[in-house]
Amino acid sequence: MSNPLTIQSATVQPKATKRETTSDKLKRFGSKSTPYWFVSPYIIIFGVFGVFPIFFMVFLSFHHWNPVAGLSSMRWVGLENYALALTDPTLWQSLWNTFVMAILSGVPQHAVALPMAYLLVSLGARARHWLTTAYFLPYITSTIAVSMIFFVMYSPQSGLINHLLSGLANGALTEWAFGWINNFMPIAWLQENVLIRYSISFVVFWKYVGFNIVIYTAGLATISNDLYEAAKIDGASSWQRFRYIAIPLMRPFIFFAVTLTIIGNMNLFEEPYVLTRGLQTAATNGMTISNYLYRVAWEWLDMGSAAAISWVLFVIVGTLTGIYFWLFGRKGLEGN
């Protein structure tokens, strides 16, 4: 008598596996690669205009190249471009100008923006929205247009600023307080090396203070009114509520805004370029390192030295940002 288990195992046949055809492989590959095809335009554009220029700038900084003469004129010089850049007194003068104007325009931005944002939040939602929009308009206005308007306003003979100061100096009611201004008229705001840094810094301050007001207004709006009410019940004044409640809780927003200011102000280009264009007397104190970089690249056609200067600027901005992160990063990100 045969074993029933043997008969059952003999009758059960294994399932035949379906052989994957080439068409099935293509369909499977297509279904998996479809998302990458959708993002491929961004990857290609980012690679061409984002990644490639970085590596090309590194390569170019070790060469001497006049772009007018073509790629065949590129010549290897090693670290010579960096040595020339670091020993160039004009570069250090332009770097000092950049640093001074970054301080003159950056510190007032936040010193004005934070109290102004606190005032706007205190006024209520309707007034806050309208006034915040008004303060933000200079930021979204073309930098070239803003700089050209201020260039006309700074004119020594026909500028609006000198006309207003002259009116105050010669007015019947204001002469006693502003009469001394006549001793300095006409004031050459952009022609005098003593004044040009302050003139450029004011334009930068006027344009970007609204951006910081928006950041701080958004931050202050996240603070609960219960904290202000509790402090008010305890007898805290408006200044004390601002000092001991608003500022400590605003540290993440202050940290973010100041970081943007450091990076942006160390890369100033448009405002100094437009305001000092054609003014030879302003070349000493009115030229930032970005303006000098542009001059080396497109006026002197020395792309290798310009690439080296750009990396020097990158290291300087990265160092300043890193120092700021090291000093205030933990407290700024904690927000307490």
Side-chain angles (χ1 to χ4, degrees), residues 177-259:
F178 300 97
W180 56 272
I181 297 179
N182 284 324
N183 299 327
F184 303 95
M185 297 295 290
I187 301 176
W189 298 99
L190 297 176
Q191 289 75 16
E192 295 289 340
N193 280 321
V194 178
L195 298 175
I196 189 169
R197 290 172 179 167
Y198 299 95
S199 303
I200 297 174
S201 299
F202 179 79
V203 177
V204 177
F205 160 78
W206 182 85
K207 180 171 175 58
Y208 293 100
V209 67
F211 175 75
N212 292 293
I213 289 176
V214 171
I215 293 177
Y216 291 145
T217 301
L220 289 168
T222 63
I223 301 176
S224 175
N225 287 328
D226 295 338
L227 297 175
Y228 294 121
E229 292 297 332
K232 191 174 182 179
I233 292 174
D234 290 338
S237 63
S238 180
W239 162 251
Q240 290 173 328
R241 295 194 297 271
F242 173 72
R243 169 66 180 85
Y244 296 105
I245 296 178
I247 292 181
L249 295 178
M250 283 290 293
R251 282 178 180 171
F253 296 90
I254 296 174
F255 180 78
F256 172 72
V258 173
T259 302

Side-chain angles (χ1 to χ4, degrees), residues 63-185:
H63 291 76
H64 175 77
W65 181 44
N66 184 344
V68 177
L71 291 174
S72 59
S73 65
M74 191 175 293
R75 179 170 55 87
W76 173 267
V77 294
L79 296 174
E80 181 180 332
N81 290 328
Y82 290 95
L84 291 174
L86 295 175
T87 57
D88 186 0
T90 306
L91 181 141
W92 292 108
Q93 176 64 44
S94 62
L95 180 61
W96 174 250
N97 296 338
T98 306
F99 182 76
V100 171
M101 285 187 278
I103 296 296
L104 291 176
S105 62
V107 174
Q109 283 182 41
H110 301 278
V112 171
L114 187 55
M116 183 63 68
Y118 181 76
L119 177 62
L120 292 177
V121 172
S122 302
L123 292 177
R126 181 174 299 180
R128 181 177 76 240
H129 294 329
W130 282 102
L131 293 175
T132 302
T133 303
Y135 287 123
F136 192 68
L137 282 176
Y139 176 74
I140 61 176
T141 305
S142 169
T143 304
I144 303 300
V146 170
S147 301
M148 292 182 65
I149 291 172
F150 272 94
F151 181 84
V152 176
M153 294 173 62
Y154 280 138
S155 175
Q157 304 299 332
S158 59
L160 178 62
I161 297 176
N162 278 355
H163 274 283
L164 291 175
L165 292 176
S166 180
L168 292 174
N170 299 310
L173 299 177
T174 57
E175 183 178 2
W176 65 274
F178 300 97
W180 56 272
I181 297 179
N182 284 324
N183 299 327
F184 303 95
M185 297 295 290

